[in-house]
């Protein structure tokens, strides 16, 4: 135990030193020196709800200045009183500002326990925080005001047996002596306040009210006790609002404006929250309301507002201290004033500086008011609008109770009241002082003749509950609180001061004059509404759920799923199954789009069949084109399956057709883009040549890709049998017939197709920069980019529109049709444009090799024809030689540009086609030989025309073959080959090779139109 005790002391000491800088940021404290010190905690500054600071700059006069001055007034008067004066012992005070914040109050309270942190096991005080100072123990602390602050402080002070006496905290939980053994208060707990408020509401027969409460112990516990008491009085609560700091109440007051049955709002809120509610009411409340306020409202001047005229408030009954009012009227700030906040308030309220000694200008707060003018002697704290704070008498009583306890403890512990002995400290530590405090009994120092003014604590350390009832009235344009009744905890009855024959008992309510407004909740319920009984005499009419009917007892009862109540809510009838209707806009649009798509696809198909032998159709790869068109047709047909009435057949067909149609559309595109990519990639990747690039191979690959999707769909059908299910809307007013498949599973079934789309897009990106002759990849890429956008938009729409199955189905249909439409127009639109609008381009391009071949066929075949050349001028021969060289150089330059592409394509084409004619190799050899022969021809003799044309033809043929082979389409058509003899005589011959297949022949033109 000793070790634990010392550990707590060490932790708190360290915590205090750590917070020292934070505490120094609020340096001002009320300080009166004394041998015995009393602590004080009051909310001087208003609380700051946001930001790092706990306090605002605004000082509270009623709850701050008045209560501090009341404590000072009580100490000074009791020191001079010959009955209660502790002779030889001066009592001082240290008062801290809590700013209404529990956390800040707890920090400020550390100063009250620092003298106790080094108590020895025997109970001796040793002050270690400031070793140079003499110990000044705090046997008691007066405060705090709010219950939430008092709870925090009581937890800390109780650890060191420091008694706490609150003049204002009314939280019900503070009566628990097990939790708060060293807490006492001069005011009663909230349970009596709640009972008084319930009796007021019941007296005026208000059985239907709104209630509002603050966060924290005061509001939550208070309103809880009000509910309990209201239930016993047959009072119903309509709206129960717990107010958050600075919360907008617009919606709440809109409800109040619309519900005219409720004319009373009961508040269990602190003063700041009360003022906030009234400010919000000024902006949003459109009709008169009767407010019933707690003691926190009481007679507070800040709550006097025209919107609150007619309000009924309660406050603890205590005779106003006239002596304190006179004392406060003569109070002025002085240079050595123990209350540093008095000068600050004086500057704020009167906007002037009182005549003080220049030394006072060093005050922390005085610098900000240096520019103010000097005050006169006419200013004082008690003016015509002065209202004494209702807690001032209880502050005075709290101080007097502590004085009586000190007087008794000194007598018992020290045998004398002239000095403080060590046994006095033991009496504080062992709880003897607190026991003496709870057993005091005395008359108030301001009124000793009235028997009602005698004070004593009850068994829980609480004060007696006697409340005054006030009514805020407006007379001649001035607002004032009129006391009209009193409530005593002993009698539990209201005693009115007014005329007994007056039903309002002198109370005046807004816009009702002397008439008592009605606030009741026993109106008959309409059809489709049930009575929710809160008590025997009060109920609330609540509308039944849309799928509920009223049973014989008048209560709501759910209809069976798939059933719906009749108009009179007495019976239920069976709902019809809901499916998407063919005449709805959600069907007409996707069906129209599908029909247009089918017509367009059919038109494209017919066009390609009619022009089947044209170069542009041959170059497109007819087999894959027709498979793509078939996929487009299937995509458009999906719409009719999706909007059809769900059945086992339709649901099963959806599973197969949706995925398969997409696969038939994107598998050929993937095969095409992959083939183009492999052809034009670096030859190092495929050193052995290209495989699987023939039309037959491409068709086989595409079919295998489609079979994968088809098999997966069939396996899905076997694992999960297709069928239908009934789905109910959240309101239960519709029964929707759907396929027995979850949206997530349906999306998973399309993952394979999504993979195909992604791969197509990747290949389209990689082949975007190939030569212009092969630009079909660009159209495929554009189609893939657009498709990705469509499906990226579809997925969130499909899953985000689950609330309406019609929109979901329509979105799916449109997305599928758009995918097919994008592919149709991007891939076949350019081809149809050339077929119908540019027919001159739909022909086989005549390469230079053909022209050269025809020219060579007309040339002489032996050396004897060389004599005819001599008839041509020598200059023409030289020019021809130069032209031939330039032409060969140009061809060779183009050959180098395409060498990387053609080299890779040559190997792949030879392996795939089995072509072994060596045309390209021979052409290269002939060109090299030609260059050698031309370069060695140093005389003026012109080269042989046959040789010249052969070189050009070979070069051009080599370049054309590269393009044809690069696309895998060259099959050995008519090609001019030139044989050069060793003696320089050329031999021209035509090597005719038939095409291997018709499909190979058609691809001879593919490089020109892709």
């Amino acid at each position: 135990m000793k070790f634990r005790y010392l550990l707590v002391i060490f932790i708190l000491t360290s915590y205090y030193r750590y917070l020292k800088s934070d505490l120094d940021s609020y340096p001002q404290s009320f300080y009166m020196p004394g041998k015995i010190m009393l602590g004080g905690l009051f909310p001087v500054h208003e609380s700051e709800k946001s930001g790092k600071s706990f306090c605002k700059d605004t000082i509270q006069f009623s709850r701050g200045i008045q209560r501090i001055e009341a404590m000072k007034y009580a100490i000074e008067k009791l020191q001079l009183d010959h009955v209660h004066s502790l002779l030889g012992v001066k009592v001082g005070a240290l008062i801290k500002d809590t700013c209404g914040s529990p956390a800040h109050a707890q920090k400020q309270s550390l100063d009250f326990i620092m003298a106790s942190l080094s108590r020895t096991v025997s109970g001796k005080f040793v002050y270690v925080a400031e070793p140079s100072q003499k110990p000044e123990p705090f046997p008691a602390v007066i405060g705090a005001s709010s219950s939430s602050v008092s709870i925090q402080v009581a937890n800390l002070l109780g650890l060191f047996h420091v008694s706490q006496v609150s003049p204002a905290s009314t939280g019900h939980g503070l009566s628990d002596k097990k939790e708060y053994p060293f807490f006492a208060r001069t005011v009663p707990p909230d349970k009596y306040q709640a009972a008084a408020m319930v009796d007021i509401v019941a007296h005026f027969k208000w059985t239907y009210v709104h209630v509002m409460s603050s966060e924290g112990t005061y509001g939550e516990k208070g309103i809880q006790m009000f509910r309990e008491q209201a239930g016993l009085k047959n009072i119903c609560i309509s709206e129960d609002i717990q107010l958050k700091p600075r919360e907008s109440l617009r919606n709440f007051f809109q409800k109040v404006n619309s519900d005219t049955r409720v004319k009373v709002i009961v508040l269990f809120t602190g003063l700041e929250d009360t003022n906030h509610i009234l400010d919000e009411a000024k902006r949003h409340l459109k009709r008169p309301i009767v407010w019933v306020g707690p003691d926190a409202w009481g007679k507070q001047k800040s709550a006097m507002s025209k919107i609150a005229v007619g309000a009924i408030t309660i406050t603890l009954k205590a005779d106003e201290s006239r002596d304190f009012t006179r004392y406060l009227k003569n109070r002025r700030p002085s240079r050595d004033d123990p209350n540093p906040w008095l000068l600050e308030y004086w500057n704020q309220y009167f906007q002037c500086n009182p005549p003080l000694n220049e030394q006072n200008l060093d005050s922390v707060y005085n610098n900000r008011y240096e520019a103010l003018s000097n005050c006169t002697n006419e200013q004082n704290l008690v003016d015509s609008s002065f209202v004494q704070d209702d807690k001032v008498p209880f502050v005075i009583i709290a101080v007097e109770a502590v004085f009586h306890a000190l007087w008794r403890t000194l007598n018992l512990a020290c045998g004398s009241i002239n000095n403080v002995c060590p046994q006095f400290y033991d009496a504080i530590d062992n709880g003897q002082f607190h026991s003496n405090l709870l057993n005091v009994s005395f008359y108030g120092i301001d009124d000793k003749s009235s028997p009602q003014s005698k004070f004593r604590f009850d068994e829980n350390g609480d004060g007696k509950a006697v409340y005054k009832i006030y009514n805020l009235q407006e007379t001649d344009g001035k607002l004032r609180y009129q006391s009209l009744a009193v409530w005593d905890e002993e009698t539990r009855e209201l005693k009115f001061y007014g005329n007994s024959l007056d039903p309002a008992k002198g109370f005046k309510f807004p816009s009702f004059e002397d008439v008592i407004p009605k606030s009741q909740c026993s109106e008959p319920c309409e059809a489709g509404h049930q009575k929710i009984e809160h008590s025997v005499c009060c109920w609330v009419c609540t509308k039944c759920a849309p799928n509920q009917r009223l049973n014989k007892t008048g209560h709501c009862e759910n209809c069976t799923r798939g059933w719906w109540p009749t108009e009179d809510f007495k019976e239920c009838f069976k709902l019809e199954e809901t499916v998407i209707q063919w005449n709805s806009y959600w069907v007409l649009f996707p069906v129209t789009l599908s029909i247009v798509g089918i017509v367009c696809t059919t038109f494209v198909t017919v066009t390609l069949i009619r022009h089947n032998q044209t170069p542009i159709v041959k170059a497109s790869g007819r087999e894959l084109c027709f498979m793509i068109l078939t996929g487009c047709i299937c995509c458009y047909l999906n719409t009719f399956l999706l909007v059809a009435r769900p059945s086992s057949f339709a649901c099963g067909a959806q599973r197969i057709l949706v995925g398969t149609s997409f696969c038939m559309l994107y598998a050929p595109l993937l095969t095409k883009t992959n083939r183009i990519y492999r052809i034009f990639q670096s030859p190092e990747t495929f050193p052995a040549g290209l495989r699987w690039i023939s039309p037959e191979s491409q068709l086989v690959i595409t079919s295998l890709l489609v079979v994968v999707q088809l098999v997966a769909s069939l396996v899905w059908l076997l694992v999960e049998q297709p069928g239908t299910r009934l789905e109910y809307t959240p309101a239960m007013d519709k029964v929707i017939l759907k396929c027995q498949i979850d949206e997530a599973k349906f999306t998973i079934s399309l993952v394979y197709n999504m993979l195909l789309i992604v791969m197509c897009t990747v290949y389209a990106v990689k082949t975007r920069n190939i030569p212009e002759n092969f630009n079909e990849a660009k159209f495929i890429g554009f189609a893939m980019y657009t498709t990705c956008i469509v499906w990226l938009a579809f997925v969130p729409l499909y899953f985000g529109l689950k609330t309406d199955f019609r929109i979901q189905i329509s979105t799916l249909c449109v997305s599928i049709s758009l995918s097919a439409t994008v592919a149709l127009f991007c891939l076949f639109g350019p081809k149809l444009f050339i077929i119908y609008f540019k027919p001159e381009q739909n022909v086989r391009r005549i390469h230079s090799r053909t022209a050269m071949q025809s020219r060579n066929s007309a040339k002489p075949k032996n050396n004897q024809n060389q004599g005819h050349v001599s008839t041509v001028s020598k200059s023409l021969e030289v020019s021809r030689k130069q032209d031939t060289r330039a032409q060969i150089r140009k061809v060779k330059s183009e050959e180098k540009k395409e060498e990387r592409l053609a080299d890779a394509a040559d190997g792949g084409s030879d392996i795939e086609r089995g072509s072994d004619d060596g045309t390209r190799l021979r052409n290269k050899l002939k060109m090299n030989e030609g260059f050698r022969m031309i370069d060695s021809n140093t005389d003026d003799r012109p080269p042989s025309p046959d040789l010249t044309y052969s070189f050009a033809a070979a070069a051009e043929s080599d370049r054309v073959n590269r393009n044809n082979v690069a696309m895998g389409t060259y099959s050995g058509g008519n090609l001019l080959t030139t044989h050069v003899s060793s003696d320089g005589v050329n031999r021209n011959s035509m090597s005719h090779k038939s095409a291997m297949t018709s499909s190979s022949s058609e691809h001879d033109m593919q490089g020109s139109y892709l």
Side-chain angles (χ1 to χ4, degrees), residues 527-530 542-550 554-557 569:
H529 292 69
Q530 67 172 346
T542 305
K543 187 176 181 180
C544 295
N547 65 321
Q548 292 181 331
R549 69 178 183 90
L550 292 173
H555 291 84
C556 296
E557 183 179 73
F569 292 90

PDB file of all heavy atoms in Angstrom, residues 527-530 542-550 554-557 569:
ATOM      1  N   ALA A 527     -57.193   6.045 -40.766  1.00  0.00           N
ATOM      2  CA  ALA A 527     -57.029   4.697 -41.327  1.00  0.00           C
ATOM      3  C   ALA A 527     -55.579   4.489 -41.743  1.00  0.00           C
ATOM      4  O   ALA A 527     -54.945   5.382 -42.307  1.00  0.00           O
ATOM      5  CB  ALA A 527     -57.953   4.516 -42.533  1.00  0.00           C
ATOM      6  N   GLY A 528     -55.077   3.315 -41.448  1.00  0.00           N
ATOM      7  CA  GLY A 528     -53.687   3.021 -41.756  1.00  0.00           C
ATOM      8  C   GLY A 528     -52.712   3.492 -40.703  1.00  0.00           C
ATOM      9  O   GLY A 528     -51.503   3.432 -40.911  1.00  0.00           O
ATOM     10  N   HIS A 529     -53.234   3.973 -39.583  1.00  0.00           N
ATOM     11  CA  HIS A 529     -52.402   4.422 -38.475  1.00  0.00           C
ATOM     12  C   HIS A 529     -52.759   3.615 -37.226  1.00  0.00           C
ATOM     13  O   HIS A 529     -53.912   3.249 -37.026  1.00  0.00           O
ATOM     14  CB  HIS A 529     -52.607   5.909 -38.188  1.00  0.00           C
ATOM     15  CG  HIS A 529     -52.107   6.808 -39.276  1.00  0.00           C
ATOM     16  ND1 HIS A 529     -52.717   6.882 -40.519  1.00  0.00           N
ATOM     17  CD2 HIS A 529     -51.062   7.669 -39.311  1.00  0.00           C
ATOM     18  CE1 HIS A 529     -52.069   7.751 -41.265  1.00  0.00           C
ATOM     19  NE2 HIS A 529     -51.066   8.250 -40.551  1.00  0.00           N
ATOM     20  N   GLN A 530     -51.764   3.379 -36.418  1.00  0.00           N
ATOM     21  CA  GLN A 530     -52.000   2.660 -35.180  1.00  0.00           C
ATOM     22  C   GLN A 530     -51.660   3.553 -33.992  1.00  0.00           C
ATOM     23  O   GLN A 530     -50.919   4.521 -34.120  1.00  0.00           O
ATOM     24  CB  GLN A 530     -51.166   1.387 -35.117  1.00  0.00           C
ATOM     25  CG  GLN A 530     -49.662   1.640 -35.017  1.00  0.00           C
ATOM     26  CD  GLN A 530     -48.877   0.383 -34.758  1.00  0.00           C
ATOM     27  OE1 GLN A 530     -49.438  -0.634 -34.394  1.00  0.00           O
ATOM     28  NE2 GLN A 530     -47.566   0.441 -34.945  1.00  0.00           N
ATOM     29  N   THR A 542     -49.138   6.463 -35.267  1.00  0.00           N
ATOM     30  CA  THR A 542     -48.008   6.115 -36.127  1.00  0.00           C
ATOM     31  C   THR A 542     -48.521   5.393 -37.362  1.00  0.00           C
ATOM     32  O   THR A 542     -49.319   4.460 -37.255  1.00  0.00           O
ATOM     33  CB  THR A 542     -47.013   5.215 -35.378  1.00  0.00           C
ATOM     34  OG1 THR A 542     -46.611   5.862 -34.178  1.00  0.00           O
ATOM     35  CG2 THR A 542     -45.790   4.936 -36.232  1.00  0.00           C
ATOM     36  N   LYS A 543     -48.063   5.843 -38.496  1.00  0.00           N
ATOM     37  CA  LYS A 543     -48.485   5.220 -39.747  1.00  0.00           C
ATOM     38  C   LYS A 543     -47.886   3.835 -39.869  1.00  0.00           C
ATOM     39  O   LYS A 543     -46.715   3.615 -39.593  1.00  0.00           O
ATOM     40  CB  LYS A 543     -48.053   6.080 -40.925  1.00  0.00           C
ATOM     41  CG  LYS A 543     -48.609   5.598 -42.263  1.00  0.00           C
ATOM     42  CD  LYS A 543     -48.220   6.535 -43.382  1.00  0.00           C
ATOM     43  CE  LYS A 543     -48.810   6.061 -44.709  1.00  0.00           C
ATOM     44  NZ  LYS A 543     -48.446   6.975 -45.824  1.00  0.00           N
ATOM     45  N   CYS A 544     -48.714   2.888 -40.270  1.00  0.00           N
ATOM     46  CA  CYS A 544     -48.228   1.525 -40.468  1.00  0.00           C
ATOM     47  C   CYS A 544     -47.294   1.475 -41.674  1.00  0.00           C
ATOM     48  O   CYS A 544     -47.332   2.340 -42.561  1.00  0.00           O
ATOM     49  CB  CYS A 544     -49.391   0.567 -40.693  1.00  0.00           C
ATOM     50  SG  CYS A 544     -50.499   0.380 -39.271  1.00  0.00           S
ATOM     51  N   ALA A 545     -46.456   0.472 -41.693  1.00  0.00           N
ATOM     52  CA  ALA A 545     -45.597   0.266 -42.848  1.00  0.00           C
ATOM     53  C   ALA A 545     -46.454  -0.038 -44.071  1.00  0.00           C
ATOM     54  O   ALA A 545     -47.593  -0.516 -43.950  1.00  0.00           O
ATOM     55  CB  ALA A 545     -44.627  -0.886 -42.581  1.00  0.00           C
ATOM     56  N   PRO A 546     -45.945   0.249 -45.269  1.00  0.00           N
ATOM     57  CA  PRO A 546     -46.760   0.037 -46.472  1.00  0.00           C
ATOM     58  C   PRO A 546     -47.278  -1.384 -46.630  1.00  0.00           C
ATOM     59  O   PRO A 546     -48.320  -1.598 -47.250  1.00  0.00           O
ATOM     60  CB  PRO A 546     -45.801   0.419 -47.609  1.00  0.00           C
ATOM     61  CG  PRO A 546     -44.824   1.352 -46.987  1.00  0.00           C
ATOM     62  CD  PRO A 546     -44.660   0.876 -45.580  1.00  0.00           C
ATOM     63  N   ASN A 547     -46.590  -2.369 -46.087  1.00  0.00           N
ATOM     64  CA  ASN A 547     -47.005  -3.758 -46.252  1.00  0.00           C
ATOM     65  C   ASN A 547     -47.725  -4.291 -45.012  1.00  0.00           C
ATOM     66  O   ASN A 547     -47.814  -5.497 -44.820  1.00  0.00           O
ATOM     67  CB  ASN A 547     -45.795  -4.636 -46.549  1.00  0.00           C
ATOM     68  CG  ASN A 547     -44.826  -4.689 -45.375  1.00  0.00           C
ATOM     69  OD1 ASN A 547     -44.604  -3.680 -44.718  1.00  0.00           O
ATOM     70  ND2 ASN A 547     -44.253  -5.846 -45.120  1.00  0.00           N
ATOM     71  N   GLN A 548     -48.242  -3.402 -44.174  1.00  0.00           N
ATOM     72  CA  GLN A 548     -48.923  -3.819 -42.948  1.00  0.00           C
ATOM     73  C   GLN A 548     -50.405  -3.480 -42.999  1.00  0.00           C
ATOM     74  O   GLN A 548     -50.830  -2.538 -43.654  1.00  0.00           O
ATOM     75  CB  GLN A 548     -48.286  -3.136 -41.724  1.00  0.00           C
ATOM     76  CG  GLN A 548     -46.879  -3.602 -41.408  1.00  0.00           C
ATOM     77  CD  GLN A 548     -46.319  -2.913 -40.180  1.00  0.00           C
ATOM     78  OE1 GLN A 548     -46.673  -1.778 -39.867  1.00  0.00           O
ATOM     79  NE2 GLN A 548     -45.429  -3.602 -39.471  1.00  0.00           N
ATOM     80  N   ARG A 549     -51.172  -4.275 -42.292  1.00  0.00           N
ATOM     81  CA  ARG A 549     -52.602  -4.024 -42.137  1.00  0.00           C
ATOM     82  C   ARG A 549     -52.908  -3.867 -40.651  1.00  0.00           C
ATOM     83  O   ARG A 549     -52.079  -4.161 -39.788  1.00  0.00           O
ATOM     84  CB  ARG A 549     -53.418  -5.173 -42.714  1.00  0.00           C
ATOM     85  CG  ARG A 549     -53.306  -6.463 -41.922  1.00  0.00           C
ATOM     86  CD  ARG A 549     -54.170  -7.561 -42.516  1.00  0.00           C
ATOM     87  NE  ARG A 549     -54.115  -8.776 -41.706  1.00  0.00           N
ATOM     88  CZ  ARG A 549     -54.951  -9.051 -40.703  1.00  0.00           C
ATOM     89  NH1 ARG A 549     -55.923  -8.189 -40.380  1.00  0.00           N
ATOM     90  NH2 ARG A 549     -54.838 -10.174 -40.017  1.00  0.00           N
ATOM     91  N   LEU A 550     -54.081  -3.371 -40.333  1.00  0.00           N
ATOM     92  CA  LEU A 550     -54.498  -3.209 -38.945  1.00  0.00           C
ATOM     93  C   LEU A 550     -55.260  -4.453 -38.493  1.00  0.00           C
ATOM     94  O   LEU A 550     -56.214  -4.882 -39.140  1.00  0.00           O
ATOM     95  CB  LEU A 550     -55.389  -1.968 -38.799  1.00  0.00           C
ATOM     96  CG  LEU A 550     -54.699  -0.616 -39.014  1.00  0.00           C
ATOM     97  CD1 LEU A 550     -55.726   0.504 -39.010  1.00  0.00           C
ATOM     98  CD2 LEU A 550     -53.657  -0.370 -37.945  1.00  0.00           C
ATOM     99  N   GLY A 554     -56.271  -2.978 -33.470  1.00  0.00           N
ATOM    100  CA  GLY A 554     -55.871  -1.659 -33.945  1.00  0.00           C
ATOM    101  C   GLY A 554     -54.382  -1.472 -34.087  1.00  0.00           C
ATOM    102  O   GLY A 554     -53.925  -0.336 -34.262  1.00  0.00           O
ATOM    103  N   HIS A 555     -53.619  -2.552 -34.027  1.00  0.00           N
ATOM    104  CA  HIS A 555     -52.177  -2.472 -34.175  1.00  0.00           C
ATOM    105  C   HIS A 555     -51.761  -2.980 -35.555  1.00  0.00           C
ATOM    106  O   HIS A 555     -52.462  -3.777 -36.194  1.00  0.00           O
ATOM    107  CB  HIS A 555     -51.465  -3.283 -33.082  1.00  0.00           C
ATOM    108  CG  HIS A 555     -51.608  -2.699 -31.718  1.00  0.00           C
ATOM    109  ND1 HIS A 555     -52.711  -2.938 -30.923  1.00  0.00           N
ATOM    110  CD2 HIS A 555     -50.790  -1.892 -31.003  1.00  0.00           C
ATOM    111  CE1 HIS A 555     -52.562  -2.296 -29.767  1.00  0.00           C
ATOM    112  NE2 HIS A 555     -51.411  -1.658 -29.792  1.00  0.00           N
ATOM    113  N   CYS A 556     -50.619  -2.500 -36.000  1.00  0.00           N
ATOM    114  CA  CYS A 556     -50.125  -2.876 -37.324  1.00  0.00           C
ATOM    115  C   CYS A 556     -49.616  -4.312 -37.309  1.00  0.00           C
ATOM    116  O   CYS A 556     -48.998  -4.755 -36.342  1.00  0.00           O
ATOM    117  CB  CYS A 556     -48.997  -1.935 -37.761  1.00  0.00           C
ATOM    118  SG  CYS A 556     -49.513  -0.222 -37.973  1.00  0.00           S
ATOM    119  N   GLU A 557     -49.899  -5.012 -38.423  1.00  0.00           N
ATOM    120  CA  GLU A 557     -49.489  -6.402 -38.554  1.00  0.00           C
ATOM    121  C   GLU A 557     -49.005  -6.627 -39.976  1.00  0.00           C
ATOM    122  O   GLU A 557     -49.660  -6.205 -40.944  1.00  0.00           O
ATOM    123  CB  GLU A 557     -50.661  -7.328 -38.230  1.00  0.00           C
ATOM    124  CG  GLU A 557     -50.321  -8.798 -38.268  1.00  0.00           C
ATOM    125  CD  GLU A 557     -51.530  -9.641 -37.914  1.00  0.00           C
ATOM    126  OE1 GLU A 557     -52.454  -9.729 -38.774  1.00  0.00           O
ATOM    127  OE2 GLU A 557     -51.572 -10.202 -36.814  1.00  0.00           O
ATOM    128  N   PHE A 569     -56.861  -1.080 -45.169  1.00  0.00           N
ATOM    129  CA  PHE A 569     -55.856  -1.691 -44.290  1.00  0.00           C
ATOM    130  C   PHE A 569     -56.440  -2.773 -43.376  1.00  0.00           C
ATOM    131  O   PHE A 569     -55.885  -3.059 -42.325  1.00  0.00           O
ATOM    132  CB  PHE A 569     -55.162  -0.622 -43.428  1.00  0.00           C
ATOM    133  CG  PHE A 569     -54.288   0.316 -44.214  1.00  0.00           C
ATOM    134  CD1 PHE A 569     -54.809   1.479 -44.749  1.00  0.00           C
ATOM    135  CD2 PHE A 569     -52.955   0.020 -44.427  1.00  0.00           C
ATOM    136  CE1 PHE A 569     -54.018   2.340 -45.476  1.00  0.00           C
ATOM    137  CE2 PHE A 569     -52.147   0.886 -45.157  1.00  0.00           C
ATOM    138  CZ  PHE A 569     -52.686   2.049 -45.685  1.00  0.00           C
TER     139      PHE A 569
END
